[in-house]
């Protein structure tokens, strides 16, 4: 039977002194020094733990540690091996990135692709005690070499990430620092085996009414003596075992199992994500040689792109049922890929699921996500859209890049094929669009290859061979062909970025793209997260350290310009901080609700972005410390199965009642136009019968929809538990009144309940729990308190909280508190 010895844990780094490494003069000389390493891990983290560099994520230390990325490094350890098996393999699930690997001083293999795994036969060089030595060449040395050889070409960023198969965003992005590192970022082990082993299992599923069909494609590897033996495979699922003989000389087999009365896997909102364990075992006579355990889920998935009268839709359909995609874009959880644990990934995905998300898009500047990521999505009923790893640049189609791309794609298509959550493969992020929109052809290097054949030929062909069960889209955005602009609101997927970059969020309401696979708005990270990342005694909006934690070109200026459209300017940090978070909520909520109300023309939204990989002002809903920004709660509420929104229709306000549920919604809508002091100026009610998975729009009569005094009135719609508000005036122009918020703080088990009451409308009250305690959380974001009502914010923490702590500045604050008195 194959045995495995885990080589995770303690290893040792030394800087490679072959002359290229720009080793700085440190207080403790680096050359010759042994530095403790953790595997899986990353060079920066180990240097930090050894106190050899400052925290790269604090202040502007990113710049100070840039030498680390330019050095060559050696990573080694010793290991004992049990001899006797026919084969001993060193298996590396992830090498970041350019390395040569030696065992007992003999080179056994080399790597130049972080997105592949490697298996090196070390039988001939292995003794009872051994050394393994991994010599990393700086990623820059490799990338700049191929950039010179193949020719520089257009890119959205100055770094050479398109010339090396390494997580693009480790070179920096418009939300991330430039810290490309090296290391063994996934598991490492020694495997010993004889006769044969299971090399790969590719279980594809189909479902016909009540019957699930599992087709398991199994690849074997044999030793020299195993080549002449007949072997035997067993595939077990749902209490059935199906057998297959593998004659001598053959090294693959396909086993088909029918599962009657199958329980299907459904994504969130459609049903339960039912999973079936599958065990594949390999035998030689009565001797078991190997076993591979996995899980599958029976479901069909398709994207309906049949042209219609309005253009080309993009309808994700699971088990034959079309669904409205409530998605989030996912970026790597750390700029140091080896630092991402299974627990961390799971926590984040649970947060997504609790925010009513039903699809996570793994963006192409990151990685093919981990088994832990996909296991969690399978269990949580989250669909996954996985990009192939290309983003925002022209990529060379020449060698050695092409072979590496195809090898990594082949391996990951097989590795991820068992996961029912994996619903869509996507060719790239924005490259087809940028080719046209940024006029790449006219730029230096524009005459060179740029990646089109990956997206339009090679990757779809590879999927046809290895996994025809899942839909493929050539790019995001993509309109289906060059006949239309790749980013066309009438055809397939659309990225909505003009609003953030140039216009205003209100323009979201001007169109209803068929499927919005990216849109978003920046907002500051939680206060505590920024406070921990910036050591200035006081946080100031314009401080260099604060600006360093903003990576978008002109990011602060865009924030200021966008805020100025809705609020009087402020230079006070705490006010600015709350205002950016408020604006992020307003913008994203406006887009989400408008596009949900545009169903069935618009069939999905993927908000940019769920998570962050360092403390930064970015588009994320959850910051790098795992703290929920107010956007998180707005997303949860606007992704709820049933929502209301008041939208400016054709000359009149409309109430849109969105019912993304199995049941019809038979009810009554109550509308009231009220004064900020609560007095009702007009009211109206209307019976509703909203069929399942549909939207009903009701034009509101002018009596409720038209204010007599816009600065002093608001509109509220109530349908059962749901509520929607419409403010007739921007927050800076609403009538002021003297009454302050009344906050009643009560100590309860696990934290504090903060009841907020107001005699007048208190627009957008926010409780910031991290200003009370670093680990405190709250159950809601910006909440408007209606006149005379009380809203409870539940603050929870791992230790008792002093009610007086809630009195500190900006723990409880409303938007109004950020606007300077006239
Ligand atoms: C899109 C994404 C990312 C980027 C984001 C925000 O272009 O694909 O590349 O981070 O917008 O600008």
């Amino acid at each position: 039977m194959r045995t495995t010895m885990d080589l995770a844990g303690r290893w040792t780094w030394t800087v490679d002194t072959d002359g290229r490494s720009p080793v700085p003069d440190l207080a403790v000389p680096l050359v010759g020094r042994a530095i403790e390493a953790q595997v899986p891990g990353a060079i920066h983290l180990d240097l930090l733990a050894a106190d050899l560099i400052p925290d790269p994520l604090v202040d502007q230390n990113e710049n100070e540690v840039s030498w680390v990325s330019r050095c060559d490094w050696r990573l080694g350890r010793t290991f004992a091996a049990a001899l006797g098996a026919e084969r001993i393999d060193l298996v590396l699930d992830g090498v970041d990135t350019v390395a040569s690997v030696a065992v007992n001083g003999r080179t056994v293999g080399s790597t130049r692709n972080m997105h592949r795994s490697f298996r090196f036969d070390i039988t001939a060089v292995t003794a009872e005690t051994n050394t393994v030595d991994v010599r990393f060449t700086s990623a820059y040395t490799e990338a700049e070499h191929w950039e010179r050889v193949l020719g520089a070409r257009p890119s959205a960023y100055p770094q050479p990430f398109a010339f090396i198969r390494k997580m693009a965003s480790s070179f920096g992005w418009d939300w991330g620092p430039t810290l490309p590192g090296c290391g063994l970022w996934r598991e490492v082990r020694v495997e010993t085996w004889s006769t044969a082993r299971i090399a790969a299992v590719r279980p594809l599923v189909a479902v016909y009414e009540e019957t699930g069909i599992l087709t398991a494609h199994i690849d074997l590897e044999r030793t020299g003596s195993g080549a002449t033996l007949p072997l035997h495979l067993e595939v077990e699922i749902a209490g059935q075992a199906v057998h297959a003989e593998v004659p001598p000389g053959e090294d693959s087999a396909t086993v088909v199992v029918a599962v009657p009365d199958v329980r299907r896997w459904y994504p969130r909102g459609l049903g339960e994500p039912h999973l079936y364990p599958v065990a594949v075992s390999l035998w030689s006579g009565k001797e078991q040689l190997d076993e591979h355990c996995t899980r599958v889920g029976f479901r069909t998935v398709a994207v309906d792109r049949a042209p219609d009268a309005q253009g080309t839709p993009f309808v994700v359909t699971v088990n034959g049922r079309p669904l409205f995609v409530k998605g989030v874009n996912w970026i790597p959880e750390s700029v140091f890929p080896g630092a991402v644990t299974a627990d961390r990934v799971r926590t984040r995905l649970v947060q997504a699921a609790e925010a009513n998300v039903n699809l996570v898009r793994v963006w192409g500047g990151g990685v093919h996500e981990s088994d832990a990521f996909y296991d969690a999505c399978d269990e949580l009923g989250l669909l996954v859209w996985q990009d192939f790893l290309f983003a925002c640049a022209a990529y060379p189609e020449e060698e050695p890049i092409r072979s590496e791309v195809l090898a990594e794609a082949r391996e990951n298509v097989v590795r991820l094929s068992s996961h029912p959550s994996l619903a869509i493969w996507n060719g790239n992020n924005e490259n087809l669009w940028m080719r046209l929109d940024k006029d790449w052809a006219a730029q230096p290097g524009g005459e060179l290859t740029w990646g089109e054949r990956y997206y339009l030929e090679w990757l779809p062909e590879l999927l046809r061979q290895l996994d025809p069960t899942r839909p493929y889209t050539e790019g995001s955005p993509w309109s289906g062909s060059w006949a239309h602009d790749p980013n066309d609101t009438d055809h397939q997927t659309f990225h909505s970025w003009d609003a953030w970059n140039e216009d205003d969020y209100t323009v979201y309401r001007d169109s209803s793209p068929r499927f919005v696979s990216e849109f978003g708005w920046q907002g500051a990270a939680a206060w505590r997260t920024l406070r921990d990342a910036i050591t200035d005694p006081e946080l100031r909006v314009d401080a260099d350290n604060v600006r360093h934690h903003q990576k978008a070109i002109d990011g602060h200026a865009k924030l200021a310009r966008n805020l100025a459209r809705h609020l009087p300017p402020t230079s006070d940090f705490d006010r600015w901080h709350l205002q950016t978070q408020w604006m992020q909520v307003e913008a994203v909520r406006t887009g989400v609700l408008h596009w949900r109300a545009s169903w069935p023309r618009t069939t999905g939204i993927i908000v940019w972005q769920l998570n962050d990989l360092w403390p930064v002002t970015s588009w994320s809903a959850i910051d790098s410390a795992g703290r929920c920004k107010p956007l998180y709660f707005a997303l949860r509420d606007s992704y709820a199965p049933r929502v209301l929104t008041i939208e400016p229709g054709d000359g009149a306000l409309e109430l849109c009642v969105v019912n993304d549920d199995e049941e019809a919604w038979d009810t009554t809508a109550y509308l009231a136009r009220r004064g900020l002091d609560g007095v009702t100026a007009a009211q109206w009610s209307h019976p509703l019968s909203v069929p399942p998975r549909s939207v009903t729009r009701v034009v509101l009569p002018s009596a409720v929809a038209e204010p007599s005094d816009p600065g002093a009135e608001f509109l509220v719609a109530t349908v059962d538990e749901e509520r929607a508000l419409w403010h007739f005036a921007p927050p800076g122009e609403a009538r002021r009144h003297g009454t302050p918020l009344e906050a009643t703080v009560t100590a309860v088990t696990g934290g504090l309940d903060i009841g907020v009451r107001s005699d007048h409308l208190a627009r957008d009250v926010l409780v910031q729990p991290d200003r009370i305690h670093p680990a405190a959380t709250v159950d809601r974001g910006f909440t408007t308190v209606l006149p005379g009502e009380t809203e409870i914010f539940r603050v929870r923490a791992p230790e008792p909280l002093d009610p007086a702590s809630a009195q500190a500045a900006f723990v409880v604050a409303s938007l109004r508190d950020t606007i300077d008195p006239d």
Side-chain angles (χ1 to χ4, degrees):
M1 180 78 168
R2 180 174 57 89
T3 65
T4 290
M5 183 175 66
D6 191 1
L7 293 189
R10 197 166 157 174
W11 291 53
T12 304
W13 286 111
T14 47
V15 71
D16 206 333
T17 48
D18 62 2
R20 262 199 316 255
S21 296
V23 184
D25 270 339
L26 299 183
V28 189
L30 203 58
V31 175
R33 187 187 164 97
I35 303 156
E36 187 174 325
Q38 279 305 318
V39 169
I43 181 65
H44 288 90
L45 297 175
D46 295 324
L47 292 173
L48 176 63
D51 256 346
L52 291 166
I53 55 168
D55 189 337
L57 307 189
V58 167
D59 291 342
Q60 299 178 58
N61 295 341
E62 173 195 355
N63 300 338
E64 231 171 278
V65 306
S66 60
W67 60 270
V68 175
S69 310
R70 293 271 171 191
C71 283
D72 298 338
W73 297 93
R74 297 176 76 149
L75 181 60
R77 65 167 279 166
T78 57
F79 68 93
L83 304 177
E86 288 177 72
R87 267 284 290 273
I88 307 177
D89 291 343
L90 178 64
V91 184
L92 303 124
D93 282 346
V95 183
D96 177 13
T97 293
V98 186
S100 97
V101 182
V103 172
N104 297 331
R106 303 254 302 273
T107 301
V108 294
S110 64
T111 71
R112 56 154 56 114
N113 188 341
M114 177 183 165
H115 308 303
R116 295 173 62 186
S117 67
F118 297 91
R119 171 178 294 268
F120 300 129
D121 179 353
I122 59 170
T123 321
V125 298
T126 305
E128 276 178 5
T129 57
N130 306 278
T131 59
V132 51
D133 179 23
V134 186
R135 294 183 76 151
F136 291 95
T137 302
S138 161
Y140 278 116
T141 307
E142 166 90 357
E144 288 166 355
H145 168 76
W146 291 112
E147 186 176 42
R148 270 192 308 275
V149 171
L150 301 176
R153 46 204 89 192
S155 174
Y157 297 94
Q159 298 271 330
F161 62 85
F163 295 88
I164 184 169
R165 296 311 293 160
K166 175 175 168 66
M167 180 174 113
S169 54
S170 66
F171 287 91
W173 217 258
D174 58 2
W175 34 257
T178 299
L179 292 165
C182 64
L184 298 177
W185 73 289
R186 281 181 169 160
E187 281 166 33
V188 187
R189 61 193 172 277
V190 172
E191 292 188 8
T192 55
W193 53 282
S194 296
T195 309
R197 68 176 186 95
I198 299 171
V201 176
R202 186 161 43 95
L204 302 180
V205 300
V207 205
Y208 302 98
E209 297 181 353
E210 309 293 300
T211 305
I213 307 286
L214 168 70
T215 305
H217 301 272
I218 301 157
D219 291 333
L220 306 180
E221 185 184 6
R222 297 172 184 257
T223 63
S225 65
T228 54
L229 293 176
L231 300 174
H232 182 88
L233 278 166
E234 181 181 285
V235 176
E236 235 190 285
I237 182 171
Q240 293 182 67
V242 173
H243 301 260
E245 302 305 324
V246 193
E250 283 190 17
D251 53 14
S252 66
T254 299
V255 177
V256 180
V257 191
V259 178
D261 301 322
V262 75
R263 282 183 66 187
R264 289 186 187 227
W265 184 95
Y266 282 97
R268 299 183 79 73
L270 285 191
E272 293 301 311
H274 194 78
L275 295 168
Y276 284 85
V278 178
V280 179
S281 53
L282 175 67
W283 302 77
S284 168
K286 289 209 171 339
E287 187 196 355
Q288 184 173 354
L289 301 175
D290 203 353
E291 185 176 41
H292 177 98
C293 294
T294 184
R295 294 182 304 192
V296 296
F298 290 94
R299 49 108 192 90
T300 61
V301 59
V303 177
D304 178 4
R305 284 164 280 194
D308 59 20
Q310 300 165 38
T312 323
F314 192 89
V315 191
V316 178
T317 301
V318 180
N319 291 323
R321 288 159 65 181
L323 57 107
F324 190 95
V325 167
K326 300 167 198 164
V328 284
N329 280 284
W330 173 274
I331 65 164
E333 262 290 311
S334 172
V335 68
F336 309 120
V340 182
T341 61
D343 275 357
R344 180 167 168 162
V345 163
R346 195 179 174 91
T347 302
R348 208 62 75 241
L349 290 166
V350 167
Q351 285 174 305
E354 287 175 349
N356 294 310
V357 162
N358 61 13
L359 180 145
V360 181
R361 169 179 172 227
V362 181
W363 164 80
V367 298
H368 300 281
E369 269 303 335
S370 61
D371 298 338
F373 175 100
Y374 276 92
D375 284 343
C377 291
D378 289 347
E379 289 161 22
L380 292 165
L382 288 169
L383 295 166
V384 185
W385 153 328
Q386 172 77 56
D387 284 9
F388 286 106
L389 303 182
F390 305 94
C392 301
Y395 283 78
E397 294 166 11
E398 291 81 12
E399 295 296 355
I401 311 284
R402 174 176 40 200
S403 292
E404 290 296 342
V405 164
L406 295 179
E408 103 206 5
R410 179 172 288 275
E411 175 177 336
N412 284 287
V413 166
V414 172
R415 175 174 68 90
L416 299 175
S417 62
S418 62
H419 295 283
S421 55
L422 176 56
I424 296 174
W425 279 105
N426 169 39
N428 73 87
N429 177 73
E430 294 189 344
N431 295 351
L432 295 160
W433 177 31
M434 282 191 179
R435 170 80 183 172
L436 239 67
D437 192 53
K438 307 284 181 207
D439 201 5
W440 278 356
Q443 289 184 30
E447 73 287 3
L448 301 172
T449 63
W450 57 277
E452 183 181 22
R453 294 180 74 190
Y454 294 126
Y455 322 133
L456 302 189
E457 283 178 41
W458 296 328
L459 293 171
E461 176 53 31
L462 192 129
L463 283 170
R464 271 190 292 276
Q465 288 167 19
L466 294 175
D467 186 358
T469 67
R470 292 177 165 91
Y472 171 73
T473 180
E474 289 79 353
S476 185
W478 182 235
S479 58
S481 77
W482 289 115
H484 309 284
D485 186 288
N487 206 35
D488 185 322
T489 51
D490 287 333
H491 298 280
Q492 301 199 22
T493 50
F494 182 75
H495 287 195
S496 178
W497 284 114
D498 287 350
W500 155 255
N501 285 318
E502 282 143 39
D503 306 329
D504 184 15
Y505 70 80
T506 50
V507 306
Y508 292 140
R509 294 201 183 103
D510 297 343
S511 74
S512 297
R514 308 310 301 266
F515 190 106
V516 184
S517 45
E518 273 186 22
F519 96 106
W521 209 269
Q522 278 201 351
W527 175 82
R528 182 77 254 167
T529 304
L530 289 176
R531 191 55 288 188
D532 288 346
I534 292 161
T535 59
D536 300 2
E538 199 191 325
L539 294 173
R540 284 184 299 105
V541 180
D542 276 333
D544 288 348
N545 279 340
V546 171
R547 298 185 79 98
H548 187 77
H549 290 251
Q550 156 70 274
K551 292 295 191 183
I553 297 169
D554 254 0
H556 263 44
K558 283 179 188 168
L559 278 173
R561 194 172 65 219
N562 286 323
L563 281 167
R565 293 186 170 116
H566 300 271
L567 295 169
T570 178
S571 56
D572 173 77
F573 182 86
D574 292 318
R575 293 178 181 201
W576 170 87
H577 176 260
L578 188 140
Q579 288 188 355
T580 65
Q581 294 192 332
W582 172 79
M583 179 116 202
Q584 186 184 28
V585 163
E586 283 291 296
V588 175
R589 185 169 47 204
T590 298
V592 167
L593 292 176
H594 169 70
W595 292 320
R596 285 198 66 188
S598 303
W599 166 270
R601 179 180 154 93
T602 302
T603 58
I605 304 163
I606 310 181
V607 166
W608 186 269
Q609 68 207 70
L610 176 70
N611 54 338
D612 260 337
L613 50 58
W614 84 314
V616 65
T617 295
S618 82
W619 298 263
S620 76
I622 302 172
D623 74 22
S624 60
R627 297 192 174 100
C628 294
K629 290 157 74 167
L631 174 61
Y632 174 83
F633 301 102
L635 210 53
R636 177 192 67 187
D637 298 345
S638 45
Y639 273 175
R642 289 177 165 177
V643 291
L644 306 181
T645 172
I646 297 172
E647 301 277 318
D650 260 351
L653 290 179
E654 290 178 7
L655 174 68
C656 304
V657 187
V658 180
N659 180 23
D660 188 15
D661 196 276
E662 297 291 270
E663 310 284 317
W665 196 3
D666 297 316
T667 183
T668 304
Y670 296 92
L671 274 292
R673 177 163 57 83
R674 299 173 67 184
L676 300 184
D677 57 4
V679 173
T680 301
Q683 52 190 337
W684 184 71
S685 66
H686 186 74
L688 288 169
S689 179
V690 190
R693 313 267 179 218
S694 75
V695 179
T696 295
R697 303 178 83 99
V698 184
V699 177
L700 300 181
S702 55
V704 284
E706 283 170 21
S708 49
D709 181 354
E713 293 176 358
F714 68 101
L715 178 62
V716 54
T718 311
V719 178
D720 300 334
E721 305 301 306
E722 309 306 321
R723 200 180 242 179
L725 297 172
W726 182 261
H727 302 285
F728 295 110
E733 289 168 28
R735 199 68 38 80
R736 286 169 185 275
H737 49 80
T739 49
L741 293 179
E742 297 163 38
T744 313
V745 186
T746 316
V748 296
T749 315
L752 303 174
D753 279 359
I754 304 179
V756 178
R757 192 192 166 281
S758 171
D759 280 338
H760 284 73
L761 183 81
R763 189 166 169 188
D764 292 306
V765 177
L766 184 69
V767 168
Q768 297 183 52
D770 54 294
R771 287 178 182 262
I772 300 180
H773 184 286
T777 59
V778 68
D779 64 340
R780 60 206 305 188
F782 281 102
T783 304
T784 293
V785 184
L786 263 52
E789 293 190 359
T790 301
E791 298 284 353
I792 313 275
F793 294 79
R794 293 178 179 81
V795 176
R796 297 295 178 261
E799 52 191 349
L801 301 176
D802 177 1
S805 60
Q807 306 304 327
F810 283 92
V811 169
V812 182
S814 74
L815 183 63
R816 168 54 62 88
D817 297 327
T818 70
I819 302 175
D820 296 319
D822 322 294

